[in-house]
Amino acid sequence: MAKIDFSSRVGVWWTSDAWPIRDVQPHAREIEQLGYGSLFYGEAAGKESLTQAAALLGATERLAVGTGIANVHARDALAAEAGSRTLS
């Protein structure tokens, strides 16, 4: 299991479903540069959760990224675990 070392005890919850991911990535970098340790978001109708995590992780260096809500109807438990292992 991957060890997560949060660089800060303070994180950000942000919903960016209406934004294209290419516009969200610079904001994730800014959140990281401001000293926040994590960025959390929910999965609603706009973006698939694990794909969004990959895009945010690829745009940052140390930011912990997580979904606060992953829709159980969008993927089964095995797919969610496999996605998590891929991202970590």
Side-chain angles (χ1 to χ4, degrees):
M1 181 180 289
K3 181 181 180 315
I4 299 174
D5 185 23
F6 289 99
S7 59
S8 169
R9 295 183 56 119
V10 178
V12 173
W13 172 270
W14 183 32
T15 300
S16 64
D17 281 343
W19 297 36
I21 197 67
R22 68 180 172 277
D23 294 339
V24 175
Q25 289 172 310
H27 290 286
R29 283 190 290 274
E30 181 180 9
I31 288 167
E32 180 179 58
Q33 290 168 353
L34 289 171
Y36 292 100
S38 57
L39 172 60
F40 288 87
Y41 56 90
E43 181 175 34
K47 296 182 185 80
E48 194 277 326
S49 184
L50 300 177
T51 306
Q52 182 170 345
L56 295 172
L57 290 168
T60 60
E61 294 179 24
R62 299 173 312 282
L63 195 66
V65 173
T67 176
I69 304 166
N71 187 337
V72 298
H73 301 290
R75 72 197 60 78
D76 64 21
L78 292 176
E81 181 186 12
S84 173
R85 289 176 185 267
T86 300
L87 292 171
S88 64

